[in-house]
Amino acid sequence: MTQSQPKKAALGPAALGAIALAVAAVLPLIPVGVKGIMPGPFSTAGTLQLLAVCLVFGALALTYDLVFGRAGLLSFGHALFFATGVYACNIAIVHAGLPFVPAVLVTLVVGAAVAALVGALSLRVKGIAFAMVTLAFAQAASVLVLLNPGHYTGGEEGLGLDATAIPRAFVGVVNTRNLYWLALALLVLVYAIVRWTARSEPGRAAEALRENEQRATVLGIASFPVRLLLFTVAGTLATLCGIVYLLAIGSSTHQVTDSHFSLTVLVMVVLGGLGSRWGVVVGGVLYHFLDDRLSALATTAFVQDLPAVLRAPLSQPLFLLGVIFIVVVLFLPGGIAGAFGHRTHQAAAIEGLLGRFRRAPKPG
Amino acid sequence: MSTVILLAVTGLALGALYFLIAAGISLAFGLMHVLNFAHGAFLTIGAYAGYLVASGGGDVGTGRFVLMLAAGTLAGALAAVVTELLLIRPLYGNTHAQLLVTVGLSLALVALIEELAGSDARGYHSPGWANATTEIAGSAIRGSRFLAIGVAVLVLAALVVFLRRTRYGLIIRAGVENRSMVTALGIDVRRAFTLVFALGGAAAGLGGVIAGSYFGQVEPRVGTGLFIYALIVIVIGGLGSLTGTAVAAVLVGLLQQFLNYYAAGVGDLSVLALLALVLLARPAGLFRSTAS
């Protein structure tokens, strides 16, 4: 991999990543903000909570990229595993009375089991049918949560987190910066695991299957177990993201099981640049940031005073994000990462996946 | 007994709604492998177009209701044609990107409708006979249930006649079977596809007005909610098979109504269990021998 790389920039991607991480790590200590963009100085609890959720969505986008970008599986069910983390962990604490750490472990096992089950059923069909089926199974979570069997999920009202059961370091407004650092640690951990999985033997086999299933199968790669493995790993990591999200938000609400949320995970990844790890992180972070800030913008006097033609679209963040997404798909298929001209082999893979051009298969 | 009949008719009517939205998705997918995520939003557009016509003046008579049906159909077809020309056509041969672009459209359209019409549900105008009940073997059934079933049967019959008896129908059937062969014979499948897309949009828009009278109200997410069940119907019935879609729509509608009678939500979950069973036993769906 590393032999005779042409020297391009003074700073390699690893150095840039380290700098970005260092900046992100000291951000909660900075008592100034960016006026008009951030809700307040970086060190305030409100800003830190927003940024923590942004980082969780960055991590979630990374896990989804393992399924869609790497294995080429267009799943609409990824939010289901995230929602499993958000709900199962809370239910284990509130209703089963488990302490925090065992609750997290149980939740991860449940998340892996759900992912393996949904994957095993859905992978019986391919391509677009796979997309349909995964969306349908994600709907099961929405139905279950609103059905509220035994009052376990709290239905429409949601389920509040029991603050006495979780570590003190993550409770209270003064500790929001710890939550932020936890989210940052989650992102780093997920990044490391996703990178390792993608470079492992199954990761490469999944990539080969995405490029040319027939050829890979003839070479002796069994498609079903390889794909199921990646699907399950990504699903379990998404469950972990859900647990951190639960800590950051402090409750489980049914919005995370909504079919709209399944679609937004896809939007994050395509926006950032399918197959580019730093790109999808930026996509996830940016998506939630825009969603939050555009909602805030809509209530300002500036927007409220605009004529109706301009006010209507500006008051609906999802409208703007949907339109931005359409423009990206039509004109910028590489997303944000593609726009910066980082034609890594992943970036090229996107275009292969989106069918812009067909590449000759890579040797080895 | 009266409960069984009530549930059966309501379930059939729900199946009819599923069919109206699923038929277009299924045909478009069968012909060009395009999965249109905005199809549910087309139904919502049709429903609101009908709502606009109704709110023109006071009580709704049958004449006004026919106008509402026409407005819904037209709005759905128009939305479909514009979508096909502006968003789907530039991405031909690229089924992933086509799907993604309709995902964005679906999010944007629902948000726009929420902004323009408000996110709360609004009461839907129907003529008196749609809300009046008829006694059948002791169970009181509302007219809107029969209306949904009747309209779906008519749409199914019209589609069958169109596919079996017209030249375009022949091209579409051949295209679903083997698109590259039809193209090799010098026939432009794309034009037929635009027509299929418009017909699907029209059926969805019509379904919007029917859904409005069925539920007695309309809200911005009505179409996207039905869309997911329409997808389940399509997979169970077999991708691209119109007969399969019709049979699966009835099956899913009945199953959902009967089991939801015991506890709300149980029927919805059992539909997903049925989907899982079909995937295990016949991954290609009930009416297709080969996977697409």
Side-chain angles (χ1 to χ4, degrees):
Chain A
M1 282 304 283
T2 50
Q3 48 161 355
S4 70
Q5 288 262 336
K7 271 197 177 163
K8 288 185 295 191
L11 288 172
L16 281 174
I19 292 173
L21 186 61
V23 170
V26 298
L27 217 51
L29 306 173
I30 302 173
V32 292
V34 187
K35 208 169 164 17
I37 296 177
M38 305 304 278
F42 286 117
S43 53
T44 53
T47 310
L48 282 176
Q49 195 201 24
L50 168 64
L51 292 178
V53 176
C54 283
L55 291 174
V56 171
F57 281 148
L60 179 64
L62 258 178
T63 67
Y64 183 59
D65 191 51
L66 201 56
V67 177
F68 187 24
R70 191 60 53 167
L73 299 170
L74 180 47
S75 163
F76 281 99
H78 206 64
L80 171 64
F81 314 128
F82 184 78
T84 303
V86 174
Y87 269 98
C89 187
N90 206 355
I91 289 172
I93 291 172
V94 174
H95 292 293
L98 285 181
F100 182 68
V101 175
V104 168
L105 294 177
V106 166
T107 305
L108 287 177
V109 172
V110 170
V114 172
L117 182 68
V118 170
L121 283 171
S122 309
L123 283 169
R124 291 181 66 82
V125 288
K126 291 191 166 71
I128 305 287
F130 179 79
M132 299 186 191
V133 170
T134 47
L135 182 71
F137 283 128
Q139 181 71 8
S142 176
V143 175
L144 258 182
V145 164
L146 291 178
L147 185 62
N148 196 8
H151 301 282
Y152 275 120
T153 65
E156 290 249 13
E157 287 158 36
L159 184 65
L161 184 61
D162 179 9
T164 58
I166 59 173
R168 295 191 72 88
F170 301 124
V171 182
V173 178
V174 281
N175 285 326
T176 312
R177 70 164 68 156
N178 291 342
L179 273 176
Y180 171 86
W181 278 321
L182 178 71
L184 190 62
L186 168 81
L187 180 60
V188 172
L189 177 72
V190 167
Y191 190 95
I193 297 177
V194 163
R195 187 183 138 108
W196 180 76
T197 309
R199 292 186 174 190
S200 69
E201 206 172 304
R204 288 169 181 278
E207 211 177 332
L209 283 165
R210 178 196 70 203
E211 287 299 307
N212 190 332
E213 183 166 357
Q214 229 172 358
R215 186 187 303 236
T217 313
V218 169
L219 286 172
I221 297 174
S223 74
F224 183 80
V226 163
R227 285 176 167 158
L228 183 59
L229 181 69
L230 254 74
F231 192 86
T232 309
V233 168
T236 313
L237 288 175
T239 305
L240 184 63
C241 296
I243 296 172
V244 178
Y245 180 81
L246 170 68
L247 290 178
I249 295 293
S251 66
S252 312
T253 53
H254 69 92
Q255 277 83 5
V256 293
T257 64
D258 197 89
S259 63
H260 256 67
F261 186 64
S262 299
L263 302 187
T264 56
V265 181
L266 175 75
V267 173
M268 293 174 196
V269 167
V270 175
L271 204 63
L274 194 59
S276 154
R277 274 189 290 269
W278 70 264
V280 299
V281 172
V282 171
V285 169
L286 194 66
Y287 180 89
H288 183 66
F289 188 75
L290 284 177
D291 193 17
D292 183 272
R293 300 317 297 157
L294 288 173
S295 308
L297 177 74
T299 56
T300 57
F302 170 71
V303 171
Q304 291 299 321
D305 291 343
L306 284 173
V309 188
L310 287 173
R311 193 185 64 227
L314 282 179
S315 311
Q316 286 286 347
L318 261 183
F319 175 76
L320 286 178
L321 287 165
V323 170
I324 292 172
F325 182 68
I326 292 172
V327 170
V328 166
V329 173
L330 281 177
F331 303 110
L332 200 68
I336 294 169
F340 279 88
H342 276 242
R343 193 164 291 283
T344 57
H345 82 272
Q346 296 113 327
I350 318 159
E351 308 210 353
L353 193 62
L354 288 179
R356 280 283 146 146
F357 59 88
R358 295 231 53 87
R359 295 177 308 137
K362 280 193 306 286
Chain B
M1 186 59 203
S2 61
T3 318
V4 172
I5 289 181
L6 178 68
L7 288 175
V9 176
T10 325
L12 275 177
L14 188 63
L17 272 182
Y18 289 152
F19 175 75
L20 286 177
I21 174 164
I25 308 172
S26 180
L27 276 179
F29 185 84
L31 190 60
M32 291 300 253
H33 276 231
V34 171
L35 173 59
N36 174 25
F37 254 80
H39 206 76
F42 293 171
L43 182 135
T44 313
I45 289 176
Y48 275 97
Y51 181 85
L52 283 181
V53 171
S55 56
D59 244 5
V60 172
T62 304
R64 170 81 63 172
F65 191 66
V66 170
L67 270 184
M68 287 166 67
L69 290 172
T73 311
L74 207 64
L78 200 67
V81 168
V82 171
T83 304
E84 207 278 325
L85 292 180
L86 291 183
L87 298 179
I88 310 266
R89 190 161 279 222
L91 297 167
Y92 266 147
N94 190 346
T95 51
H96 267 126
Q98 282 170 329
L99 194 162
L100 294 180
V101 96
T102 58
V103 166
L105 182 67
S106 158
L107 292 175
L109 279 179
V110 172
L112 193 64
I113 294 169
E114 273 185 2
E115 179 59 33
L116 295 177
S119 51
D120 297 328
R122 294 178 177 213
Y124 210 76
H125 303 263
S126 304
W129 53 262
N131 293 322
T133 54
T134 315
E135 286 269 329
I136 294 182
S139 57
I141 296 165
R142 297 170 89 193
S144 57
R145 310 305 190 243
F146 297 114
L147 175 73
I149 297 168
V151 166
V153 168
L154 279 181
V155 167
L156 174 63
L159 278 176
V160 168
V161 169
F162 169 74
L163 288 173
R164 296 266 159 83
R165 298 264 178 255
T166 65
R167 181 178 152 72
Y168 266 112
L170 183 70
I171 294 173
I172 291 164
R173 277 186 298 136
V176 170
E177 208 63 47
N178 188 340
R179 188 178 62 211
S180 39
M181 180 62 86
V182 177
T183 314
L185 291 171
I187 294 165
D188 189 2
V189 183
R190 293 175 181 200
R191 208 179 304 157
F193 179 67
T194 310
L195 185 66
V196 162
F197 216 72
L199 286 176
L206 178 64
V209 182
I210 300 294
S213 76
Y214 178 91
F215 295 118
Q217 60 177 39
V218 60
E219 43 124 3
R221 295 195 175 201
V222 56
T224 31
L226 288 168
F227 174 75
I228 294 176
Y229 289 98
L231 288 189
I232 297 173
V233 161
I234 291 166
V235 175
I236 289 177
L239 291 163
S241 157
L242 195 64
T243 326
T245 302
V247 173
V250 169
L251 200 64
V252 167
L254 285 175
L255 183 71
Q256 209 172 0
Q257 278 301 325
F258 270 98
L259 291 177
N260 270 345
Y261 173 73
Y262 296 103
V266 173
D268 305 358
L269 288 179
S270 57
V271 166
L272 292 165
L274 177 67
L275 173 69
L277 272 181
V278 169
L279 286 177
L280 285 172
R282 284 183 72 96
L286 299 178
F287 283 81
R288 262 268 155 124
S289 47
T290 52
S292 303

